[in-house]
Amino acid sequence: MPDTAPATPYRAPAFTNGYEFTQGAGYTLPKYPFVAPPELGSGTVMRHPIVIVGGGISGLTLACSLARLGVKAVLLDEDNTVGVKGASSRGICYTQKSLEIFDKLGIYERIAKKGIQWSVGRTFAGHDEVMAFDLRQQGNFNLSTQPPFINIQQFYIEGFLVERIHELGHVDLRWKSRVTAFTQDAEVATLTVETPAGSYQIEADHVIDATGSHTPFHQWCGATMQSRRGDDRWCIADVRFTTHPPVERHTWIEAPFNENRAVWQHLMADDVWRLDYQMAPNADPDFVSREDVVRERLARQFGPDVEVEVVWVGPYAYRSQCLDHLRAGRVFFMGDTAKIVSPFGARGGNTGVSDADNLAWKLAAVQRGHAHPALLDSYNAARLEAAQQNVQVTNRTARFLRPADGMERTFRTAAISLAKEHPFARALINTGRMAVANTYTRSSICDATGGQSVQNVAFQWADGSAGRVNDLLQWVSDELLVLVFGEISRTVASNLQQLTRLAPVRAVQVLGAKDRAQAREHVRDPQGHLREASHVFGHTWALLRPDGYLAATGEAVDSDLVAAIERGLGLNAQD
């Protein structure tokens, strides 16, 4: 827990983990104590299986995921807090997939109590609504026990992760620990760490770089990347109002109160609204972020009589960047070290959370000997595909919101004009394609029938009590899970028992409303939600990975299932 007393909140929240906003003074963050590591006292170079560098949302999610799996790791962070001192609330929109991951880690309820759920988005051009959606009505979101989105300031989630890591143990959180040098070879990686009590060296089998966009590991590892910087300028204003706008995502492509430039409007925790204002390309960052200028802008949007408390203001610019490879020897890149995207559609921090979830179970499986070391190579294939897709999607949004003169501007003008009158044209309006769980098509551990995320749907245990997919994933830990749908023969049941004895895999029979149980481990799926979420139909099986992704499906419990298991754990790799 933080070692500072909590600041006086603006209003009493439903849940607090010891730090809140101070009225009119921005964000008050916790402070975690520096504890001298054993290496400083002994003078020896200790070797650890996993060292995570960076205590942002990606690094902490990985650390918490490993702690849940009982895997030891060290996390090094150069600061002594979560969030960024003096900076904004940063990420605020957390997708259903991220919320499902946080549920698996045991912090979802804290997030749900603190954050704001939403599913409706509206887009305006001038005073006309040109597009609207309700994510709860879409198939990508409507089965999970988690909502489509929750808005909450990023530092709250990071604080919840720190709390949970302390509850679980296994991970050594080392604050005020800056990595100043790094080398690696075929045997080991070596890091030099600077602390308030002196410097020391630490060795690692695997190093995960989650230090952010200014990481030194890119240079140390010779990483190459594709990068693009635009001239789009924005200004964030985090504010409180005396009267509330609707609890919806409102976007203006051409806001009459912002010189016909774009505006975003979101509610976060603590009754704080995030407003993003698109500025002129040559705007002076100091001028546009002055409080008096921000208040004038707010008065134009909400009326001259609006009462506003300005919590934080700051300018920023967008750029996109994606590494060519997410693994360099013993180093894995995740979060903003792997890619940087414009924040359209909430594809930044959420991607880092999924990076961590993808890598954690693979590290655990390899550490325990359940999987071939080649399994770790699949992280690059899957998450690089996700990074490239998210960069592409957000770059397209950026071009729609700030089109170049000529064809791009002509297209946008036509799309807006048509969308005002014709429903078919509303799909052309691009203010950010909302993030969903990326599908893997290049992963070596998924076959052509796999690669999709399985939502955290509800089912019934054999005794009639409620269960969820995450309960099954908690049960299998770092192993694979076979779901067999419908009634099965004694031969199939025997084959499954033999299979689970020989491989790190567990099996569960899933019964429909009228099926009879043939296995001791069975659940009931009377509404067919588990079958639908697993993308299977008829009497068949689905092979699930510990990160809630589908590895494969098949029609018979035979050699195809065995091959899928071997592929899913990298056991068919050549040394």
Side-chain angles (χ1 to χ4, degrees):
M1 291 294 291
D3 61 1
T4 57
T8 303
Y10 178 75
R11 75 182 259 193
F15 178 88
T16 174
N17 65 345
Y19 50 97
E20 295 288 341
F21 297 114
T22 55
Q23 187 169 352
Y27 299 106
T28 298
L29 301 174
K31 294 181 180 178
Y32 303 109
F34 166 74
V35 178
E39 287 90 344
L40 281 174
S42 65
T44 60
V45 178
M46 300 179 66
R47 183 160 179 168
H48 300 268
I50 301 168
V51 173
I52 305 164
V53 187
I57 193 167
S58 302
L60 288 170
T61 299
L62 177 62
C64 193
S65 300
L66 292 172
R68 181 186 73 86
L69 295 169
V71 176
K72 292 186 178 298
V74 172
L75 184 144
L76 306 170
D77 190 80
E78 63 184 28
D79 209 342
N80 65 341
T81 187
V82 292
V84 177
K85 293 176 181 176
S88 74
S89 47
R90 304 184 76 197
I92 65 168
C93 299
Y94 292 93
T95 67
Q96 185 175 89
K97 181 61 179 179
S98 292
L99 298 173
E100 290 173 341
I101 293 169
F102 294 141
D103 176 69
K104 190 166 53 176
L105 298 181
I107 66 169
Y108 169 71
E109 292 300 328
R110 309 179 203 196
I111 294 170
K113 289 178 181 178
K114 188 68 180 171
I116 303 296
Q117 295 188 23
W118 68 275
S119 64
V120 175
R122 302 186 188 278
T123 300
F124 303 88
H127 299 288
D128 299 316
E129 182 176 310
V130 295
M131 187 184 69
F133 60 79
D134 185 347
L135 295 174
R136 290 188 184 277
Q137 306 305 316
Q138 299 181 11
N140 288 332
F141 298 96
N142 62 2
L143 294 179
S144 179
T145 55
Q146 273 64 55
F149 274 90
I150 287 181
N151 282 7
I152 185 172
Q153 294 84 334
Q154 180 173 323
F155 63 77
Y156 277 121
I157 292 184
E158 293 175 357
F160 297 150
L161 287 167
V162 172
E163 291 177 354
R164 185 62 176 149
I165 291 167
H166 282 300
E167 293 167 2
L168 293 169
H170 305 294
V171 173
D172 182 4
L173 297 176
R174 300 186 182 183
W175 307 103
K176 304 295 288 184
S177 299
R178 181 186 183 91
V179 177
T180 57
F182 168 82
T183 60
Q184 64 171 331
D185 56 32
E187 300 298 325
V188 70
T190 304
L191 303 92
T192 302
V193 185
E194 182 181 294
T195 77
S199 297
Y200 66 93
Q201 287 191 326
I202 187 173
E203 293 183 342
D205 296 326
H206 303 292
V207 176
I208 292 81
D209 178 21
T211 54
S213 59
H214 300 293
T215 175
F217 280 89
H218 287 169
Q219 182 176 357
W220 289 337
C221 295
T224 60
M225 68 191 71
Q226 307 299 314
S227 183
R228 171 187 171 188
R229 183 180 295 274
D231 62 354
D232 210 8
R233 301 290 182 268
W234 293 70
C235 181
I236 296 176
D238 288 356
V239 301
R240 290 191 182 94
F241 294 101
T242 53
T243 58
H244 279 185
V247 183
E248 299 174 343
R249 175 188 184 260
H250 281 193
T251 303
W252 286 263
I253 307 169
E254 297 172 340
F257 48 83
N258 189 41
E259 299 176 324
N260 280 334
R261 295 189 179 92
V263 174
W264 265 254
Q265 179 180 298
H266 274 279
L267 176 61
M268 303 182 287
D270 299 324
D271 290 331
V272 175
W273 290 82
R274 159 69 64 80
L275 294 157
D276 292 39
Y277 294 99
Q278 188 182 38
M279 299 286 99
N282 59 351
D284 178 5
D286 292 332
F287 176 79
V288 299
S289 58
R290 272 175 28 190
E291 183 169 333
D292 61 323
V293 175
V294 171
R295 288 187 177 277
E296 290 178 6
R297 198 178 298 130
L298 291 166
R300 289 197 299 271
Q301 180 175 357
F302 297 101
D305 297 328
V306 67
E307 295 182 21
V308 174
E309 175 197 345
V310 177
V311 177
W312 187 89
V313 177
Y316 62 102
Y318 295 158
R319 65 188 173 105
S320 66
Q321 177 178 298
C322 187
L323 295 187
D324 295 323
H325 302 281
L326 303 191
R327 182 178 186 182
R330 297 179 177 274
V331 178
F332 298 85
F333 298 102
M334 67 169 45
D336 285 352
T337 68
K339 54 86 194 76
I340 300 170
V341 299
S342 303
F344 305 123
R347 292 173 181 264
N350 288 291
T351 306
V353 171
S354 289
D355 289 345
D357 195 44
N358 182 284
L359 184 57
W361 75 270
K362 296 174 182 179
L363 287 169
V366 171
Q367 286 288 319
R368 291 178 173 145
H370 290 168
H372 192 282
L375 177 66
L376 297 177
D377 291 331
S378 68
Y379 169 78
N380 175 76
R383 296 312 300 166
L384 181 60
E385 179 183 15
Q388 291 171 339
Q389 181 182 14
N390 289 321
V391 167
Q392 181 185 62
V393 169
T394 53
N395 281 347
R396 287 174 178 171
T397 302
R399 291 171 63 186
F400 187 85
L401 294 173
R402 173 139 167 71
D405 291 336
M407 186 58 68
E408 287 186 8
R409 186 168 296 279
T410 299
F411 171 80
R412 190 180 96 153
T413 301
I416 293 173
S417 178
L418 287 168
K420 290 179 179 181
E421 298 184 19
H422 303 287
F424 82 87
R426 291 167 190 167
L428 302 176
I429 301 298
N430 187 352
T431 59
R433 308 304 188 196
M434 301 310 298
V436 296
N438 292 93
T439 298
Y440 302 145
T441 65
R442 305 177 196 164
S443 176
S444 60
I445 64 173
C446 297
D447 71 6
T449 66
Q452 304 97 334
S453 177
V454 176
Q455 290 179 279
N456 186 29
V457 300
F459 57 79
Q460 293 178 1
W461 294 108
D463 63 3
S465 60
R468 301 164 306 156
V469 168
N470 275 352
D471 297 327
L472 292 172
L473 299 181
Q474 185 80 13
W475 174 55
V476 301
S477 184
D478 65 334
E479 299 180 356
L480 301 181
L481 172 67
V482 181
L483 299 178
V484 183
F485 292 86
E487 296 186 38
I488 60 176
S489 66
R490 292 185 181 275
T491 300
V492 169
S494 176
N495 290 344
L496 285 172
Q497 290 178 353
Q498 180 71 6
L499 186 62
T500 56
R501 283 196 294 266
L502 297 177
V505 62
R506 304 194 190 193
V508 172
Q509 185 181 358
V510 182
L511 303 177
K514 299 180 180 180
D515 294 322
R516 294 175 297 174
Q518 296 293 332
R520 184 171 56 185
E521 289 83 14
H522 71 272
V523 300
R524 292 199 171 272
D525 185 31
Q527 296 179 302
H529 288 172
L530 184 54
R531 180 190 299 273
E532 184 177 350
S534 301
H535 308 276
V536 297
F537 302 95
H539 292 258
T540 186
W541 54 263
L543 183 64
L544 268 62
R545 306 176 346 181
D547 58 353
Y549 267 83
L550 190 65
T553 61
E555 293 301 324
V557 180
D558 56 15
S559 59
D560 288 343
L561 175 56
V562 174
I565 292 170
E566 292 177 344
R567 182 171 54 248
L569 294 172
L571 298 176
N572 59 348
Q574 299 296 318
D575 289 319

